[in-house]
Amino acid sequence: MLDYLLSFLILTGALFTFIGSLGLVRLRDFFTRLHGPTKATTLGVGCMLIASSVYFSNQGTGMSLHEVLVTLFLFITAPISAHLLAKAALHLKLKSLTPPPDTDKADY
Amino acid sequence: MSKWFGPRAGLLPHPLLTPILASIWLLLNNSLAPGQIVLGLLLGWVIPLFTLRFWPELVRIHKPLALLRFLGVVLLDIVLANMAVARLILGRPQSLHPAFLDVPLALKGDLAIGLLANVICLTPGTVSARLSPDRKFLLVHALDAPDGDAVIATIKQRYEAPLKEVFEPC
Amino acid sequence: MLTLVIPIAFALLGAAVALSVWRLLLGPSAPDRILALDTLYVNTIALLVLLGIHLGSALYFEAALLIAMMGFVGTVALCKYLLRGDIIE
């Protein structure tokens, strides 16, 4: 039973991480590319870390919860890097599929 | 006391920060030994005292239960959002309708706006891109939004309203 | 079951790393490359955690935590550089 749960978590994690990176290559402009990694990768790594937590908790050496820290850290930092990247791209006036409203009143 | 630590220094200047720091310490050490608990609480007590001056505003949570429910909604949305984005990436990139949306903000506090931006980044096909200088609008990029107003309405009703209820009730 | 799944997951994560390196080399703009680096470090965390499960050793966790912190600081520093042409004011 535990085996199946672990396999499921690991496979889901790896699949989402892969799809996130696939989005990085497949999509056509910077702003759409930004979506793949920031979302798919957080859930992918999250699943992987939960799997690790479950695995090491069942090794007979007591609970292992410190994976939660990395998950928490990633969930807090991933949006911040995405926001900063989007801001930098707007600042540099990168080519976009849809024109941004007005690039002149940036507040950096 | 206040000469060294700043104007608000009491014995426990940040009642929320102490348990958070203590639990992070315990997680980092991956143990629940009594010694570690004492050390964690000690660190959780001393660090807020010394960093008091760096905290720009006092955080006050008015409705903890609403915050918990909001966190549940966000966690569920993260999972759903990932499914949706994965499907969009695996589908045809030519058929996407990306859009820039201006979301008018009703929130005032730094922490509330920051949390909203974070949540927007983590949920379906949207990334917060820029805050306008007067803090009235948040520019959001949506991966696939044929109907922009619907996305804005969802964001306001699903994420902004609970945050306003938790941090800034009128 | 696990012995079957772990090599598949390794292959998927390896492919993910290869794809982000491809975007890193291809560009075409600076934010694209920073985004690729960002993805690269997140993929590396997943790879390290999986290696930890595979070898049954909790040691790799510390490396993953360090990469998470350093990677974030690196991304923020590079974005700041693009935004202002300077990192520390």
Side-chain angles (χ1 to χ4, degrees):
Chain A
M1 189 58 216
L2 183 74
D3 227 27
Y4 285 105
L5 176 69
L6 273 177
S7 312
F8 173 73
L9 282 173
I10 290 178
L11 258 192
T12 328
L15 252 181
F16 272 114
T17 319
F18 175 72
I19 290 175
S21 297
L22 191 68
L24 191 65
V25 169
R26 266 195 92 183
L27 298 176
R28 291 182 305 157
D29 79 326
F30 175 77
F31 292 99
T32 50
R33 263 177 229 145
L34 195 54
H35 288 274
T38 47
K39 295 199 189 59
T41 348
T42 16
L43 188 72
V45 177
C47 277
M48 204 61 97
L49 286 162
I50 294 172
S52 164
S53 184
V54 171
Y55 180 79
F56 285 111
S57 293
N58 286 284
Q59 293 295 92
T61 51
M63 289 288 279
S64 166
L65 279 180
H66 57 351
E67 282 85 355
V68 176
L69 263 187
V70 179
T71 320
L72 204 66
F73 190 78
L74 276 180
F75 270 66
I76 295 173
T77 57
I80 298 177
S81 16
H83 179 87
L84 272 173
L85 276 167
K87 219 160 127 177
L90 279 177
H91 179 66
L92 294 178
K93 300 188 170 66
L94 282 196
K95 201 169 69 195
S96 155
L97 288 179
T98 44
D102 43 348
T103 334
D104 295 327
K105 52 173 199 187
D107 71 321
Y108 55 91
Chain B
M1 192 84 171
S2 66
K3 193 175 74 185
W4 293 336
F5 297 127
R8 292 197 303 262
L11 270 185
L12 207 60
H14 268 269
L16 273 178
L17 201 56
T18 305
I20 292 176
L21 281 174
S23 42
I24 286 180
W25 175 260
L26 289 177
L27 282 175
L28 206 54
N29 279 296
N30 212 6
S31 90
L32 267 178
Q36 298 288 4
I37 294 180
V38 172
L39 196 53
L41 284 175
L42 199 68
L43 281 173
W45 175 57
V46 170
I47 292 176
L49 271 185
F50 278 97
T51 55
L52 194 60
R53 291 189 173 183
F54 299 111
W55 296 91
E57 58 175 313
L58 205 56
V59 176
R60 189 161 285 140
I61 295 177
H62 295 274
K63 291 188 180 161
L65 275 181
L67 184 64
L68 278 182
R69 212 186 54 214
F70 176 65
L71 285 181
V73 169
V74 168
L75 273 183
L76 185 71
D77 275 1
I78 288 174
V79 176
L80 293 180
N82 278 289
M83 309 278 181
V85 170
R87 212 175 47 235
L88 287 179
I89 289 175
L90 291 176
R92 295 184 345 125
Q94 283 77 19
S95 59
L96 293 178
H97 300 279
F100 279 100
L101 309 167
D102 258 328
V103 180
L105 287 176
L107 297 167
K108 297 276 182 325
D110 282 341
L111 182 80
I113 293 180
L115 267 180
L116 180 67
N118 256 21
V119 166
I120 286 175
C121 270
L122 285 173
T123 47
T126 45
V127 168
S128 65
R130 196 176 58 197
L131 186 63
S132 72
D134 55 358
R135 304 170 151 249
K136 294 268 171 55
F137 291 94
L138 188 66
L139 186 65
V140 168
H141 183 266
L143 177 57
D144 187 30
D147 182 9
D149 291 334
V151 175
I152 294 180
T154 314
I155 289 175
K156 284 197 76 73
Q157 175 235 325
R158 202 170 165 84
Y159 308 121
E160 194 183 14
L163 276 176
K164 188 150 180 71
E165 194 186 344
V166 170
F167 289 103
E168 320 171 339
C170 305
Chain C
M1 190 74 181
L2 262 186
T3 46
L4 182 76
V5 162
I6 285 183
I8 300 176
F10 266 125
L12 279 172
L13 289 178
V17 168
L19 285 176
S20 32
V21 169
W22 173 247
R23 179 51 75 191
L24 180 65
L25 294 176
L26 205 68
S29 63
D32 274 307
R33 291 177 211 267
I34 301 175
L35 180 62
L37 269 181
D38 195 66
T39 319
L40 197 59
Y41 90 75
V42 178
N43 289 347
T44 317
I45 295 172
L47 207 52
L48 266 180
V49 171
L50 188 61
L51 189 67
I53 296 178
H54 177 58
L55 298 177
S57 145
L59 282 177
Y60 293 93
F61 165 77
E62 264 80 16
L65 190 61
L66 277 177
I67 290 180
M69 297 194 169
M70 297 299 159
F72 171 63
V73 173
T75 311
V76 169
L78 284 169
C79 286
K80 280 296 244 190
Y81 179 71
L82 283 188
L83 274 171
R84 304 205 184 185
D86 210 346
I87 297 173
I88 300 164
E89 286 122 46

